[in-house]
Amino acid sequence: MMRPYTLLCPDCGETVEDHYTLSCPSGCRALVRTVYRKKTLDIRDEPGVFRFSDWLPVEGTIKSAAGPVTFRSTALARDIGLRNLWIGFSGYWPEKGGRVLTCSFKELEALPTMVRVRETARGRTLVVASAGNTGRAFCQTAALTGMPVVVVVPENAVARLWTTVETDRVCLVTVDGDYADAIAVANGLCSVQGLIPEGGAKNVARRDGMGTVMLDAAVTLGRIPDHYVQAVGSGTGGIAAWEASMRLLGDGRFGDRLPRLHLAQNAPFVPMVRAWQAGRREIIPEEDMPDARASIAAVYSDVLTNRSPPYGVGGGVFDALTATGGSMYSVENREAEDAGRHFAEAEGIDLDPAAAVAVAALRQAVESGKIGRNDAVLLNITGGGYRRVAEEHERYRIEPAFRVAPDVDAAVLGARVLGQVRNRA
Ligand SMILES: *Cc1c(COP(=O)(O)O)cnc(C)c1O
Ligand SMILES: [Zn+2]
């Protein structure tokens, strides 16, 4: 059966069928992207993210109310001095329709990814490395679908892994190390037959899932906004917003201009900000992230500390910023904390620290004149509502199945992980 989309490599122009394909079969480095047969966006009658299934690489759905919501800001807009500020909110805020129970836009990525696995991965089990938010989103999705998932996190992130539905579908591996160590262990696991990497930025279901924030905004505003503001660690959300905007241009009903991307990182760990401001496509570790370990330990929002983001690759962050006339911002901890506090007072919901970084960047962009007072702005609040979820929902902690050292033998661990996954199936 022909699927309703193909995958395109922007480097060589080759088009391929999707078999949970994460990269160009000819070996190009560029990010492959989806090309949907359907060029106009119709909103489906679904409660959450799957109302945008026209432009998601899936055929089926998952019953979940989690999806993006867009609303016009009054209090924060007045505070910052904007007349046309829109908030894209991915988190828990029932009064606004926000039903992302794990409280970050990672759930918008996890939902279509799990459907894509079901439809294209031929029975293999997904392995996800995470610093917390991604892992929690996949745990919740595993709980909803009954599909197994292997989640690998650094030991100190284990408290961030919970679901609002009890589940035994998660095989949790904790690594005595940092996020980079967890990634290495997850990569090792994926060399074992039957386990596949989730893929991060290379996974089109993740990007197009995040892209629904832009789609929801365009449908709500009736047009593509002039500006898009987000805090980034990998920058995948920025790439996704650009790709979604290109599809909206192709649709023709939402305007004829791409939004400018305004992407922020949390100082002192700001590798993409430095490379971009130096006009470079490459991140030079010694210049752009000196003392990486210490800088990562010092930031307010640690979900923004990716050491190898898809910045320079074809179709990556550099290309997205270039195509949209975008900018990058460096936000200090204190600025972010102040912005988060202000937001909570003005709009009435608690923010993920990463979202607070985005609010601070918006303030910088307006003060520097990069965003005009009358411009239509989409502020992506990528996470929030943790307090409300804690008040209103039961949260079940995910217990580790394996605690390992960074130098664990991947083949041995892989066999044990697979054994456990099959035992529970
Ligand atoms: C992962 C994450 C980000 C950064 O997203 P990328 O686009 O992948 O860099 C921002 N905010 C929250 C809440 C996140 O969990
Ligand atoms: Zn190619």
Side-chain angles (χ1 to χ4, degrees), residues 292-313:
R293 205 170 278 268
S295 301
I296 286 172
V299 298
Y300 174 54
S301 171
D302 62 359
V303 302
L304 303 180
T305 59
N306 190 309
R307 287 166 191 248
S308 43
Y311 171 76
V313 295

Side-chain angles (χ1 to χ4, degrees), residues 202-248:
K202 295 185 190 141
N203 171 4
V204 291
R206 261 186 97 156
R207 304 211 304 278
D208 293 356
M210 287 171 137
T212 63
V213 173
M214 178 61 74
L215 301 183
D216 193 62
V219 167
T220 306
L221 276 75
R223 56 166 291 202
I224 300 168
D226 298 311
H227 305 278
Y228 171 86
V229 184
Q230 194 207 308
V232 293
S234 71
T236 310
I239 299 167
W242 169 49
E243 291 174 332
S245 301
M246 290 194 279
R247 290 188 188 111
L248 289 164

Side-chain angles (χ1 to χ4, degrees), residues 9-14 24-30 32:
C9 168
D11 266 4
C12 70
E14 192 175 336
C24 173
S26 302
C28 306
R29 285 186 63 231
V32 295

